[in-house]
Amino acid sequence: MSNRSYFTPLTVIAVILAVVVGVLYFSDDEDTTNQRGMGAASVIGAPARVMEFRDIIEGLGTAQARESVDIMARVSQTVSGIHFSDGDDVEEGQLLVSLSDREEQARVQELEFRLAENRRQLARLRELAQENAASRSMIDEQEVRVEQTSAELEVARSRLAEMTIYAPFSGKLGLRKVSQGQLVRSGDVITTLDAISPIFVDFSVPELYLPSLNPGQRVIAMSAAYPEREFIGEIVSLASRVDPVTRSILVRASIDNEGRELRAGMLLRIQLERRVDHTLMVPESAVIPIRNEQFVYVVNDEDRAVRTLVETGRRLPGWVEILDGIEEGDMIIVEGTIRVRDGLPVSVTER
């Protein structure tokens, strides 16, 4: 049996033709790809800009009235007059409640008459003493009566003053807890009074930030009751001690509350400004991390993407601080970075 060769001239020719066609096909495909690669990639860019960077400490605090008291009766007596309504804004010294005071007024009037008579008798005795018709002991006894009556009158007037209750300071009243004609006893609460304009808020700050806390620093307070409002204030005082358990210090801020929307006891979200800087910022989407380095694509004067090493700093939601590598006004690619390479042309739409 003879051996036949599979490599006939026709076979060899067919193999050569297949190789040539393959080379031509892939060469055309590579050329097409290169031509496509030369087209400018569409990207979105934004200039690097200097922005205000607020170094903020956030916390929770409880609103406290600047001044707060329970308005109480100091004696047991019947209410004869109520001169306020629930929730009134009152001024210092404004009359709030009158108690029945007929007995006290009568007592004061009686002592005033007695004091006047005792003084008249004393003056008479001094005149008689000049004529040697009255002894020194009689004058001394009458002077004692005058002083005693005067002291009794002061006590009676003080008791009469307790029959009227005034606002000790300007503020906002709470709910009324007594009625006309009601018998109140000493210590019974009639209403509450809070001074809430401005209002205080106490909140804790970690001891780490103690060196950067000073009276006068700006504070922003926000309440769930007013989601669109910001209440501005400032630090007024710091606690003298750091809590050894939480390792934090209590800070008190005074919040502007001219409209009296905030009330004592409300939970407030606090933003404390440690420092306000103006620094170079770029959108967070522009920064490309590669290993331990950070890059951005800068569009040069020839509309080509240049991969640039940058040094990043602090961050805000959606923004990154750039410490070195680019300058203000440089056009940075913020969207489409995955479609570009270093040195390739780009078509930029500015955001």
Side-chain angles (χ1 to χ4, degrees):
M1 189 174 198
S2 62
N3 293 330
R4 289 175 56 185
S5 175
Y6 291 98
F7 295 98
T8 63
L10 291 177
T11 303
V12 173
I13 293 172
V15 170
I16 293 173
L17 289 175
V19 171
V20 171
V21 170
V23 169
L24 292 176
Y25 175 81
F26 286 108
S27 176
D28 290 343
D29 184 69
E30 183 177 357
D31 290 341
T32 302
T33 302
N34 289 336
Q35 290 176 359
R36 290 178 181 177
M38 294 300 292
S42 297
V43 296
I44 296 177
R49 66 179 69 175
V50 173
M51 297 175 57
E52 189 178 75
F53 189 98
R54 297 178 180 273
D55 191 354
I56 292 175
I57 303 171
E58 294 190 343
L60 295 175
T62 302
Q64 307 281 351
R66 183 169 48 87
E67 304 287 350
S68 180
V69 295
D70 291 332
I71 304 297
M72 297 185 295
R74 288 171 288 179
V75 295
S76 298
Q77 192 52 269
T78 303
V79 176
S80 62
I82 298 175
H83 309 283
F84 70 93
S85 298
D86 295 346
D88 276 355
D89 293 321
V90 297
E91 299 296 328
E92 180 179 354
Q94 183 173 328
L95 178 63
L96 302 179
V97 175
S98 300
L99 303 179
S100 180
D101 60 359
R102 287 179 297 177
E103 181 180 346
E104 285 72 19
Q105 285 185 357
R107 176 62 174 167
V108 168
Q109 189 174 12
E110 175 191 357
L111 290 172
E112 287 176 343
F113 290 152
R114 187 188 300 176
L115 179 59
E117 177 62 22
N118 288 339
R119 284 175 175 170
R120 189 185 66 80
Q121 291 291 341
L122 178 59
R124 177 62 178 164
L125 288 174
R126 286 173 177 169
E127 291 176 358
L128 293 175
Q130 293 177 358
E131 300 173 359
N132 296 322
S135 64
R136 183 61 196 175
S137 62
M138 295 174 62
I139 295 176
D140 290 343
E141 289 177 3
Q142 190 61 28
E143 286 178 345
V144 170
R145 292 191 188 97
V146 169
E147 292 177 358
Q148 182 178 2
T149 306
S150 180
E152 291 176 357
L153 179 58
E154 287 301 317
V155 172
R157 284 175 175 169
S158 177
R159 182 172 177 81
L160 177 61
E162 293 176 344
M163 299 298 110
T164 50
I165 301 173
Y166 299 90
F169 52 82
S170 299
K172 193 174 190 65
L173 294 173
L175 301 179
R176 175 166 59 90
K177 300 182 180 180
V178 297
S179 300
Q180 185 87 12
Q182 179 180 342
L183 175 65
V184 294
R185 293 178 172 81
S186 177
D188 286 353
V189 177
I190 296 172
T191 186
T192 57
L193 177 62
D194 295 321
I196 56 174
S197 180
I199 196 169
F200 286 157
V201 57
D202 295 342
F203 60 99
S204 295
V205 174
E207 65 176 358
L208 174 66
Y209 301 115
L210 180 58
S212 62
L213 300 178
N214 292 289
Q217 280 182 266
R218 188 169 184 260
V219 170
I220 299 174
M222 290 161 285
S223 169
Y226 307 100
E228 304 299 326
R229 290 285 307 277
E230 289 186 350
F231 299 89
I232 309 301
E234 62 180 24
I235 293 178
V236 293
S237 60
L238 307 174
S240 60
R241 299 178 181 177
V242 172
D243 190 320
V245 177
T246 62
R247 299 301 177 188
S248 61
I249 187 169
L250 192 64
V251 179
R252 172 165 290 176
S254 176
I255 304 297
D256 182 29
N257 190 31
E258 186 176 352
R260 292 181 171 84
E261 294 97 337
L262 301 179
R263 304 293 179 90
M266 291 180 70
L267 179 66
L268 300 178
R269 186 160 56 91
I270 303 298
Q271 290 184 347
L272 169 62
E273 292 184 355
R274 293 178 60 203
R275 188 173 68 251
V276 179
D277 300 327
H278 289 82
T279 184
L280 189 64
M281 307 285 287
V282 298
E284 192 174 28
S285 59
V287 180
I288 304 168
I290 300 178
R291 298 185 180 89
N292 295 325
E293 297 176 322
Q294 308 290 328
F295 295 87
V296 298
Y297 279 106
V298 178
V299 180
N300 64 14
D301 295 338
E302 299 177 355
D303 289 335
R304 292 182 178 274
V306 179
R307 193 175 74 176
T308 305
L309 176 66
V310 293
E311 181 182 353
T312 60
R314 299 165 296 181
R315 293 176 181 260
L316 288 175
W319 294 89
V320 179
E321 179 185 23
I322 302 298
L323 302 177
D324 190 29
I326 60 174
E327 297 180 354
E328 181 182 4
D330 287 349
M331 183 60 66
I332 309 300
I333 297 176
V334 298
E335 292 185 24
T337 55
I338 195 172
R339 296 193 297 271
V340 300
R341 295 292 183 272
D342 188 24
L344 291 183
V346 291
S347 174
V348 181
T349 301
E350 187 171 345
R351 185 166 69 180

